[in-house]
Amino acid sequence: GPGEAAMYAGLQELGVANGEDLKETLTNCTEPLKAIEQFQTENGVLLPSLQSALPFLDLHGTPRLEFHQSVFDELREKLLERVSAIASEGKAEERYKKLEELLEKSFSLVKMPSIQPVVMCVMKHLPKVPEKKLKLVMADKDLYKACAVEVKRQIWQDNQALFGDEVSPLLKQYILEKENVLFSNDISVLHNFFSPSPKTRRQGEVVQKLTQMIGKNVKLYDMVLQFLRTLFLRTRNVHYCTLRAELLMSLHDLEISEICSVDPCHKFTWCLDACIREKFVDNKRARELQGFLDGVKKGQEQVLGDLSMILCDPFAINTLALSTIRNLQELIGQDTLPRESPDLLLLLRMLSLGQGAWDMIDSQVFKEPKM
């Protein structure tokens, strides 16, 4: 069929005979058997030691196809190992040059199921796949599907809409999972909403998938944050705020400094995460958090929008509220006025920042609400 013709068309470009060539040979010859024999000799595995072994296999009733297939599979495994080895040894520019040459040679066969894994493996190891090849992959649904995530990242970073299509169902799934717990008829499920530790929560499927899709790519991370801000604005759904914090901390767990070092919320979120884990904001951490809030510089107030989103996460609010109650109880015990407690003032400051997240992002006025 035409699909098959396309699949093997690449062979001719490489000067390798395909079915069309055999058909032509047989159509224009007087002695078909001789022609077939000659075609086999010219296009078989060219090893002198094999010539005597093949008839021996024939005697055992092993079809030639089976023999060639097993040789082919063996060679493909070796080649895949070799590609991974090339990608990890020697100077960067040299190894990438080798891989680019290999891609140039093999790309025309990318539709051949037997060769496709090799082409995909070469692309996966190239930090920058040539633009032309990426466009060809993007234009073909099946090729795009078969690509490694390393290659997809290179496609996504210049195609926000396509990346959005991939991320969107994951975000929907995340919100659904949260709401299934909150709207559950089983009261014990609801009572345990705040029980899992932050580290356990970020092992969830959606966070893990997003983390993998982003890799170390700052551009993709920024796109996901942009999606989350937009959705939070559109829906007022605070679970997007939870996901914002979980995603950052999931990258933190993997020590992806490429992203953590450029997200201005990283240290604040990390400190708050420890408080959520302990379900309490202690003195030392309170001072640290206050330092981050007081350290927001002129001209960088926009950071407050992101910090407010992180404080709007129900798990953060829950921790701040629990700490506030404990603080008030202590003050009553000591006969002290609330306004004389710097710790309490900080907790209320963070609570009001969190509660004001939506208004701040909506109005784009980045200053802390008056206490």
Side-chain angles (χ1 to χ4, degrees), residues 53-322:
L54 282 172
F56 184 64
L57 286 172
D58 294 341
L59 285 174
H60 283 282
T62 303
R64 291 277 168 102
L65 173 67
E66 203 174 295
F67 161 70
H68 280 102
Q69 195 62 52
S70 71
V71 171
F72 186 87
D73 292 344
E74 191 68 29
L75 285 171
R76 184 178 55 205
E77 282 317 302
K78 287 268 177 293
L79 185 54
L80 287 170
E81 281 167 29
R82 187 74 196 108
V83 169
S84 301
I86 291 173
S88 59
E89 58 196 30
K91 286 203 187 81
E93 55 268 28
E94 278 168 29
R95 57 184 188 221
Y96 296 141
K97 199 168 168 269
K98 265 188 202 164
L99 291 177
E100 273 168 15
E101 283 166 12
L102 195 53
L103 184 61
E104 215 30 71
K105 279 195 184 122
S106 62
F107 193 81
S108 53
L109 301 178
V110 70
K111 297 270 210 193
M112 266 177 82
S114 50
I115 302 269
Q116 193 177 67
V118 177
V119 185
M120 290 303 179
C121 179
V122 174
M123 289 204 289
K124 170 185 162 162
H125 287 295
L126 274 176
K128 211 162 167 28
V129 175
E131 190 61 35
K132 254 180 138 157
K133 307 263 189 291
L134 284 181
K135 285 210 157 71
L136 288 166
V137 168
M138 231 173 92
D140 186 308
K141 269 204 177 69
D142 296 330
L143 278 187
Y144 172 75
K145 255 210 198 80
C147 264
V149 71
E150 288 84 350
V151 181
K152 284 185 179 158
R153 282 183 205 132
Q154 297 181 43
I155 292 174
W156 292 332
Q157 68 168 13
D158 299 314
N159 294 276
Q160 186 160 9
L162 183 61
F163 187 51
D165 291 344
E166 295 270 353
V167 169
S168 183
L170 287 172
L171 303 185
K172 280 201 184 85
Q173 180 189 335
Y174 183 85
I175 298 298
L176 266 174
E177 285 169 3
K178 287 273 182 237
E179 293 184 339
N180 285 342
V181 175
L182 286 172
F183 302 150
S184 159
N185 294 327
D186 182 348
I187 217 69
S188 67
V189 170
L190 184 58
H191 271 271
N192 288 322
F193 184 77
F194 291 114
S195 302
S197 74
K199 201 144 193 173
T200 307
R201 282 190 281 122
R202 8 185 219 275
Q203 298 313 311
E205 186 190 4
V206 173
V207 177
Q208 289 301 312
K209 271 192 186 156
L210 287 173
T211 306
Q212 203 217 352
M213 286 164 80
I214 290 166
K216 299 179 175 183
N217 193 312
V218 176
K219 220 170 155 185
L220 294 179
Y221 177 67
D222 280 339
M223 278 190 219
V224 174
L225 295 193
Q226 203 41 54
F227 296 148
L228 292 175
R229 282 184 209 108
T230 308
L231 286 162
F232 175 50
L233 264 185
R234 202 180 295 159
T235 63
R236 285 184 181 249
N237 192 323
V238 291
H239 304 310
Y240 291 115
C241 300
T242 309
L243 185 51
R244 160 75 176 94
E246 283 178 349
L247 189 56
L248 172 54
M249 287 308 295
S250 169
L251 292 158
H252 166 95
D253 291 341
L254 295 171
E255 295 177 17
I256 297 184
S257 59
E258 289 85 345
I259 290 174
C260 292
S261 63
V262 296
D263 187 332
C265 300
H266 172 232
K267 285 183 173 146
F268 183 89
T269 310
W270 182 11
C271 185
L272 188 62
D273 187 75
C275 299
I276 296 171
R277 189 183 63 222
E278 310 288 337
K279 296 193 177 0
F280 182 64
V281 183
D282 63 38
N283 282 61
K284 184 175 165 290
R285 292 205 180 103
R287 275 198 298 278
E288 249 181 275
L289 291 167
Q290 183 165 0
F292 294 131
L293 288 180
D294 293 342
V296 174
K297 294 184 182 64
K298 280 256 178 290
Q300 295 179 334
E301 290 90 352
Q302 240 176 318
V303 170
L304 282 175
D306 262 9
L307 289 177
S308 71
M309 221 173 139
I310 280 161
L311 288 165
C312 181
D313 156 26
F315 291 88
I317 296 275
N318 181 54
T319 303
L320 294 171
L322 286 171

